[in-house]
Amino acid sequence: MKHYFTLLLLTISFFGLSQSGNIQGVITDQDGLTIPGATVSITSLSKGTVTDFNGKYVLVDIPEGNHTITVKYLGFSDVNQDVTVTPNQTVTLNFTLNSEDTELKEVTISGFGLSGQARALNTQKNKQNITNVVSTDQIGKFPDANIGDAVKRIPGITMQVDQGEARNIIVRGLSPQLNSVTLNGSRIPSAEGDNRNVQMDLIPSDMIQTIEVNKAVTPDMDADALGGSVNLITRTSPQGFRLSATVGSGLNFITDKRILNGSFLVGDRSKNDKFGWMVSASINDNDFGSDNVEAEWTDEFEFNEFDDEDNLTEVNVNPYANVFEIREYLVQRVRRSFSANLDYKFDDNNSVYFKSIYNWRDDRENRFRLEHEILDGEDIAPGDFSVDGNGNLTMFPVEAKRQSKGGIDNDRNKNRRLEDQRMQNYSLGGEHLFGSVQFDWMASFAKASEERLNERYLEYESEYIIDFNNNQDKPLYTPTNPADADFADFEFGELTEENQYTEEEDINIFVNAQLPVSIIDGNDGFLKFGAKTRLKNKNRANGFIEYSDETGALEFLGMVPTRSYSDTDFLAGSQYQIGTFASPDFLGGLNLNDTNLFEGEDLPEEYATANFDVNENVYAGYAMLNQNITDKLSVLAGVRLEHTSIESTGNELVFNEDGDVDGIAEVKDENSYTNILPGVHFKYDVTDNTVLRFAWTNTLARPNYVDLVPYREINNEDEEIFLGNSELDPTTSMNFDFMAEHYFKSVGIVSGGLFYKSISDFTYVFQSEDENGYEVYQPLNGDDASVFGAEVSFQRRLDFLPGFAKNFSIYLNYTYLTSSADGIRNEDGEERTDLDLPQTSPNMFNGSLGYAGKKFSLRLSANYSDAYIDEIGGNAFEDRYYDEQFFLDFNANVALNKNLSLYLNLNNITNQPLRYYQGVSSRTMQMEYYDMRLTFGLKYDLFKK
């Protein structure tokens, strides 16, 4: 590192001696909002640049004298202005762009017409790499509840949902852990305990200015973006006074409960233009729920024909649900976000900034679960079951459980399980100009945490015989004798309280330097190089205590306060009636610390192997050359080196043959690896508005924490072994991308492209049998996998149509993907040749039809993603699939005046469930319904330049 800075200082000194000068400035629109993605050029010198997300541009090494600056921007008039450059000086030249009357004057809804679209498409057009850029004003008219709901309409993007909200991002069909999510270029830490997924539903969309999806990363970006990198760019200080506020409400149809939301943003810049500031806050309070049915399937059945538990009789049967559950969720989700951003310009060559964001989400949940599971074969007598002539198991005995999930009675938990998730990021950076060398730096601290304290479960049990309907799509257990299933006769099973805490901390430091270098006379070029350090710690500390009832007051469910949660409008079907459970108020009010009433026992077997501590440090450096070959063809070539060092601590847990804990020991291990990642990007401007791109890149995805921790769980009773694998290699990919884009002058795009990824060392869980007959489960690196895809997109206003029809707009994109995976073996050690790469969706589609008049706009939007394999089982029958999804949403906006607008959104019109299936699409493993959601409100925007 010492030699790196020495070289950097020598370079800065050398180029600082140049007798040329520099030009810098900011480009804004008529409201004072910055313009990203504008091209700024001096045609006579064949020099040019593109404004960044803050609307800033810098032209360096400009010969002294008079020059004409030209600014071009799709949808805006060209601007030309003369400037005089003096040696060793930086001239500030700001621009204001005015809309072209013939193209944009029809749309007057500020911030929700073509202005956001123009910003996004101009930035995308002028990027060197393959990127999708979207303004959050452009998506959804008014902000969605979270950034995940906003990002899912970007081409090639789909989302996995949690409680009806978009949470985990899938880029080009590749699973969440293969993609990265950054905030202003720095990786966002994850609050999830066992993976690297960033909870997109934690971040409100109205705190984000721009979403940038890099599908082909450049050497100056983090390489851990195998599928792609999603960069969330926070709002920055305005160039003039801005005040924005939103207030709204709504209704969840599933619970008939309210939604409340509000936000504000205020910012300004000092009269001398040196100091800018912006503060913003957002809150969303959502009271909702879900209706859920789950099942597990098997094709094996045995019973105790001869009253000998060591010699059971097997019966050939068709697949049946050996586990069946009905669940009712009641959820309150409160999402808050706070942000403060400052910047200060010392002079034309030096500025610093501070950016911060604090996201805080409370997720309160009560869950009521009616679970049935077939008894072990040794407990099934010959007369306890029946099989029809077709081999269908129609009747059998089960153990039934009624479980209430909640929390303690206080102002935070409110008798519910409280999941407190937080993500915070604080960044301090600077931009400097030393002669013709551009230098920038940033240091940031980020932390994500998830805390679940005093999470309680009260469970009652019974046994009876059920009838099974043998409907794979809508499985159902029905008690053969309803009297046997009377809730009042369920006996006390267990009472537990859990405490869980997970946190991840990141410290990021990077420096970049860029200087003019051209290897072809008469053509512009630059050399950029830099270094980055990321120091990460992730740890999880869980606890679990089981309580016994010392007085017998909990002996039967009928002895405690209860409530029925059956609902004839249960969204999965009225046939699913969940029944009666211990009430949340009763569960939350129990004084478990009173030793006269309860005796607690710590059970490390419930949490020991889940706890870990991992230090992961990444040291990176890069260099890249961006060179214009001709006035139409440019190339960016470079290499990135990343060295990863890991220290991990887990636990070994051993059970004896009776199932009791026989010992717990701490296990430590270390690992390190180095990746060299070259890349080349070509960009060819066929015309001013038609672009061809090609990229060859190399990326990686580091293993999930739960996989690389060296834990061991040896169960001598069940003859099972679960192992971590600290020696896992990262998954790597060589990527080839081609994209053709044509931009319409009226602000729109038609594009199409192909991509191919050759993937090595992907991670999957291998199931095998050791020499002692124990089932062993361990994450391993697979061999190779490949992904091939195609992507098309069309987006434009139909302004070529006559009359009112010219106000319609269309937004369409489709992604096709096919994949294969080698080296995955079944439980018998045989390689499986029938598998796609896990979590790769083969078809994705987004569509939107919009209408924008002078005072109002309407839009109907659709989002589709195809089914894909989510989890590999021991064989094809046990594989779990994430089913296809189709969402339909409606948005309406009315401009009451220049500053005040009214909005209305109706989400999930199709009542799309979250559905998993096992093996074949007709065999339901889970179906969870959320119903529609209505929101409405007012938004106020005031600009003073």
Side-chain angles (χ1 to χ4, degrees):
M1 186 65 73
K2 178 180 178 181
H3 296 297
Y4 170 82
F5 282 109
T6 302
L7 175 63
L8 180 62
L9 290 173
L10 288 173
T11 303
I12 291 173
S13 300
F14 176 79
F15 281 91
L17 298 175
S18 171
Q19 293 303 304
S20 58
N22 306 313
I23 306 170
Q24 65 93 27
V26 175
I27 301 179
T28 61
D29 64 11
Q30 52 265 51
D31 290 322
L33 297 180
T34 56
I35 299 288
T39 58
V40 183
S41 62
I42 303 176
T43 306
S44 60
L45 300 177
S46 297
K47 282 184 173 290
T49 189
V50 178
T51 55
D52 63 16
F53 284 103
N54 299 318
K56 183 178 179 180
Y57 74 93
V58 178
L59 292 168
V60 299
D61 198 28
I62 307 300
E64 63 177 302
N66 298 322
H67 303 280
T68 299
I69 305 292
T70 301
V71 177
K72 292 181 176 290
Y73 199 69
L74 194 68
F76 283 75
S77 304
D78 291 353
V79 177
N80 296 293
Q81 190 164 336
D82 294 331
V83 63
T84 301
V85 175
T86 56
N88 301 316
Q89 298 293 320
T90 298
V91 179
T92 296
L93 185 63
N94 298 326
F95 291 85
T96 299
L97 300 187
N98 295 304
S99 299
E100 292 182 359
D101 293 341
T102 58
E103 303 296 350
L104 301 178
K105 68 180 182 181
E106 298 294 334
V107 179
T108 60
I109 302 178
S110 178
F112 305 100
L114 296 180
S115 60
Q117 184 176 340
R119 283 172 166 79
L121 290 182
N122 273 277
T123 304
Q124 179 176 320
K125 173 178 177 286
N126 293 312
K127 281 278 189 177
Q128 181 68 31
N129 61 323
I130 297 173
T131 307
N132 289 112
V133 181
V134 180
S135 163
T136 50
D137 286 342
Q138 180 189 353
I139 301 178
K141 305 298 183 180
F142 279 82
D144 289 298
N146 69 73
I147 199 66
D149 286 321
V151 77
K152 69 183 181 184
R153 295 188 176 93
I154 295 175
I157 301 292
T158 189
M159 302 294 297
Q160 294 177 338
V161 300
D162 174 73
Q163 288 296 339
E165 292 191 332
R167 167 166 285 196
N168 297 320
I169 188 168
I170 296 174
V171 180
R172 285 181 161 177
L174 296 179
S175 59
Q177 63 264 30
L178 301 180
N179 307 305
S180 71
V181 182
T182 59
L183 187 72
N184 301 316
S186 290
R187 184 73 183 252
I188 298 177
S190 169
E192 295 282 354
D194 56 358
N195 57 55
R196 298 175 183 268
N197 300 349
V198 174
Q199 302 85 343
M200 302 293 282
D201 57 350
L202 182 60
I203 305 171
S205 61
D206 50 6
M207 304 299 285
I208 301 300
Q209 175 176 292
T210 305
I211 303 167
E212 179 186 44
V213 180
N214 293 286
K215 295 175 178 176
V217 299
T218 53
D220 57 344
M221 301 176 186
D222 289 342
D224 53 349
L226 193 145
S229 172
V230 180
N231 187 27
L232 307 178
I233 300 167
T234 57
R235 298 185 184 275
T236 54
S237 307
Q239 295 302 303
F241 179 77
R242 183 182 182 187
L243 173 64
S244 177
T246 301
V247 60
S249 186
L251 177 70
N252 284 295
F253 284 63
I254 190 171
T255 58
D256 292 330
K257 297 289 184 68
R258 89 292 182 272
I259 302 170
L260 300 174
N261 69 278
S263 66
F264 79 88
L265 178 152
V266 61
D268 201 357
R269 185 161 293 277
S270 61
K271 291 183 179 181
N272 63 5
D273 201 36
K274 287 183 174 293
F275 177 66
W277 60 274
M278 188 214 68
V279 294
S280 60
S282 171
I283 186 168
N284 180 274
D285 187 344
N286 193 4
D287 208 331
F288 60 107
S290 61
D291 296 342
N292 178 290
V293 173
E294 298 189 17
E296 296 178 17
W297 298 81
T298 184
D299 55 2
E300 298 177 353
F301 177 76
E302 57 186 11
F303 70 102
N304 195 345
E305 183 176 9
F306 306 107
D307 196 22
D308 181 359
E309 63 182 36
D310 294 325
N311 293 284
L312 303 180
T313 303
E314 295 184 1
V315 179
N316 291 325
V317 296
N318 294 323
Y320 68 97
N322 60 313
V323 177
F324 171 74
E325 299 179 2
I326 306 175
R327 301 184 178 196
E328 176 73 13
Y329 290 87
L330 299 175
V331 181
Q332 182 195 22
R333 186 166 288 175
V334 182
R335 185 183 296 107
R336 318 166 189 85
S337 187
F338 313 92
S339 178
N341 297 328
L342 312 172
D343 64 79
Y344 186 80
K345 184 168 66 174
F346 295 99
D347 52 41
D348 290 338
N349 295 330
N350 299 280
S351 62
V352 294
Y353 62 85
F354 171 78
K355 294 186 176 183
S356 66
I357 189 169
Y358 189 99
N359 300 296
W360 176 17
R361 189 188 72 186
D362 284 339
D363 190 279
R364 297 184 177 91
E365 176 183 288
N366 286 125
R367 188 195 69 194
F368 306 95
R369 184 182 72 186
L370 173 59
E371 177 188 7
H372 299 86
E373 183 172 4
I374 191 171
L375 297 183
D376 293 336
E378 62 194 49
D379 298 321
I380 301 177
D384 291 343
F385 69 95
S386 63
V387 180
D388 67 16
N390 296 320
N392 295 316
L393 191 61
T394 60
M395 182 188 76
F396 48 87
V398 298
E399 180 182 38
K401 299 177 181 179
R402 292 185 175 273
Q403 184 189 80
S404 297
K405 173 183 179 180
I408 61 175
D409 182 12
N410 63 15
D411 292 338
R412 289 282 294 138
N413 294 67
K414 301 180 180 180
N415 295 313
R416 294 183 170 189
R417 184 275 287 143
L418 173 62
E419 182 181 85
D420 181 332
Q421 283 195 343
R422 309 189 188 202
M423 191 282 287
Q424 51 193 302
N425 183 289
Y426 310 96
S427 302
L428 179 65
E431 297 175 350
H432 310 276
L433 193 56
F434 301 107
S436 58
V437 178
Q438 300 177 62
F439 179 81
D440 67 275
W441 59 273
M442 189 182 77
S444 68
F445 171 79
K447 178 179 178 180
S449 64
E450 178 182 287
E451 185 175 53
R452 295 165 61 162
L453 300 179
N454 306 112
E455 182 174 332
R456 292 183 172 183
Y457 296 84
L458 176 57
E459 187 170 88
Y460 286 84
E461 304 172 347
S462 184
E463 290 185 8
Y464 46 80
I465 295 177
I466 59 92
D467 296 323
F468 177 50
N469 69 349
N470 278 285
N471 185 329
Q472 292 194 101
D473 183 49
K474 296 276 189 176
L476 179 65
Y477 283 8
T478 305
T480 303
N481 183 356
D484 293 339
D486 187 345
F487 79 88
D489 295 331
F490 275 60
E491 298 180 353
F492 174 76
E494 65 178 22
L495 171 62
T496 63
E497 184 172 279
E498 302 179 23
N499 292 285
Q500 303 179 28
Y501 183 73
T502 303
E503 74 171 16
E504 180 175 323
E505 291 186 351
D506 278 11
I507 296 175
N508 289 274
I509 303 172
F510 71 71
V511 292
N512 300 302
Q514 178 177 314
L515 50 114
V517 171
S518 179
I519 59 176
I520 299 177
D521 289 341
N523 289 289
D524 205 9
F526 66 80
L527 174 68
K528 186 178 180 182
F529 54 92
K532 181 174 183 178
T533 297
R534 185 175 72 205
L535 310 176
K536 179 190 295 290
N537 174 264
K538 179 120 184 181
N539 63 83
R540 181 162 62 182
N542 295 348
F544 187 100
I545 299 177
E546 183 174 358
Y547 292 90
S548 59
D549 174 21
E550 297 296 292
T551 65
L554 308 181
E555 185 175 359
F556 293 98
L557 183 55
M559 297 170 59
V560 304
T562 58
R563 177 182 169 186
S564 174
Y565 290 90
S566 290
D567 183 0
T568 56
D569 294 326
F570 195 82
L571 294 177
S574 59
Q575 67 270 35
Y576 299 108
Q577 298 301 301
I578 195 168
T580 301
F581 296 81
S583 71
D585 293 348
F586 170 72
L587 176 58
L590 294 175
N591 184 5
L592 300 183
N593 295 320
D594 189 337
T595 56
N596 294 317
L597 301 176
F598 303 99
E599 181 179 346
E601 180 184 4
D602 182 46
L603 299 180
E605 61 265 32
E606 296 289 341
Y607 61 84
T609 56
N611 291 344
F612 61 82
D613 193 309
V614 176
N615 290 311
E616 181 184 83
N617 298 330
V618 179
Y619 307 95
Y622 76 91
M624 66 184 196
L625 176 69
N626 193 330
Q627 177 67 55
N628 290 339
I629 307 299
T630 69
D631 60 345
K632 293 181 176 294
L633 177 65
S634 62
V635 61
L636 185 155
V639 64
R640 185 178 184 88
L641 184 146
E642 291 195 356
H643 176 75
T644 306
S645 174
I646 303 171
E647 298 176 352
S648 54
T649 302
N651 292 302
E652 180 185 72
L653 178 65
V654 180
F655 295 90
N656 60 28
E657 294 182 354
D658 297 323
D660 298 324
V661 176
D662 212 21
I664 300 176
E666 192 175 84
V667 184
K668 294 186 177 183
D669 204 354
E670 297 181 359
N671 191 20
S672 64
Y673 47 85
T674 301
N675 298 95
I676 300 175
L677 306 152
V680 179
H681 300 256
F682 291 94
K683 180 185 177 188
Y684 183 74
D685 296 320
V686 181
T687 68
D688 285 346
N689 293 324
T690 302
V691 182
L692 299 179
R693 305 177 192 269
F694 174 81
W696 169 66
T697 57
N698 290 270
T699 50
L700 61 86
R702 295 181 175 87
N704 285 329
Y705 302 103
V706 69
D707 295 329
L708 59 80
V709 172
Y711 75 88
R712 293 192 289 267
E713 182 178 317
I714 303 171
N715 193 320
N716 291 298
E717 179 188 34
D718 297 335
E719 298 185 344
E720 292 180 331
I721 299 175
F722 297 88
L723 302 172
N725 187 354
S726 57
E727 300 301 318
L728 281 172
D729 292 322
T731 302
T732 58
S733 178
M734 181 182 293
N735 316 295
F736 298 89
D737 294 84
F738 171 78
M739 183 68 67
E741 304 164 350
H742 176 73
Y743 294 85
F744 300 109
K745 189 177 181 182
S746 58
V747 187
I749 183 176
V750 58
S751 66
L754 303 173
F755 57 92
Y756 176 80
K757 296 178 181 292
S758 178
I759 301 171
S760 301
D761 295 324
F762 61 89
T763 302
Y764 76 104
V765 177
F766 178 48
Q767 302 180 26
S768 62
E769 187 174 293
D770 70 5
E771 64 276 7
N772 299 316
Y774 282 37
E775 291 290 329
V776 180
Y777 302 84
Q778 184 179 30
L780 296 177
N781 287 117
D783 294 340
D784 299 317
S786 64
V787 176
F788 172 78
E791 186 175 284
V792 293
S793 176
F794 179 81
Q795 176 184 349
R796 76 164 295 172
R797 183 179 167 206
L798 306 182
D799 55 345
F800 53 86
L801 296 177
F804 74 94
K806 67 182 179 183
N807 293 324
F808 280 99
S809 62
I810 294 178
Y811 180 91
L812 301 169
N813 61 75
Y814 168 74
T815 302
Y816 166 78
L817 188 146
T818 182
S819 66
S820 64
D822 301 322
I824 298 178
R825 292 165 177 80
N826 63 19
E827 57 193 3
D828 298 321
E830 300 168 342
E831 183 170 354
R832 295 184 59 182
T833 59
D834 58 339
L835 287 174
D836 293 334
L837 186 68
Q839 297 187 325
T840 53
S841 179
N843 295 283
M844 291 169 287
F845 169 79
N846 286 292
S848 174
L849 177 64
Y851 182 88
K854 290 187 176 182
K855 294 295 183 181
F856 72 95
S857 67
L858 308 172
R859 187 173 66 177
L860 186 68
S861 303
N863 176 270
Y864 172 81
S865 60
D866 208 347
Y868 57 84
I869 187 168
D870 178 67
E871 186 175 288
I872 299 172
N875 51 56
F877 177 81
E878 297 175 356
D879 291 341
R880 185 178 77 169
Y881 289 79
Y882 194 103
D883 202 6
E884 62 182 357
Q885 298 182 116
F886 179 73
F887 293 96
L888 194 64
D889 304 311
F890 174 75
N891 311 85
N893 300 272
V894 178
L896 303 179
N897 57 43
K898 180 181 178 182
N899 304 113
L900 186 64
S901 299
L902 172 70
Y903 72 90
L904 180 145
N905 299 327
L906 184 62
N907 296 93
N908 195 22
I909 297 172
T910 54
N911 187 25
Q912 174 63 51
L914 166 67
R915 184 176 183 267
Y916 290 91
Y917 61 85
Q918 183 177 319
V920 295
S921 61
S922 60
R923 193 177 298 138
T924 298
M925 288 191 75
Q926 180 181 353
M927 48 182 174
E928 184 170 270
Y929 292 82
Y930 313 105
D931 213 341
M932 293 187 294
R933 181 176 300 166
L934 174 70
T935 55
F936 51 86
L938 294 169
K939 181 175 177 66
Y940 179 80
D941 259 312
L942 176 65
F943 305 92
K944 287 185 179 180
K945 190 172 180 181

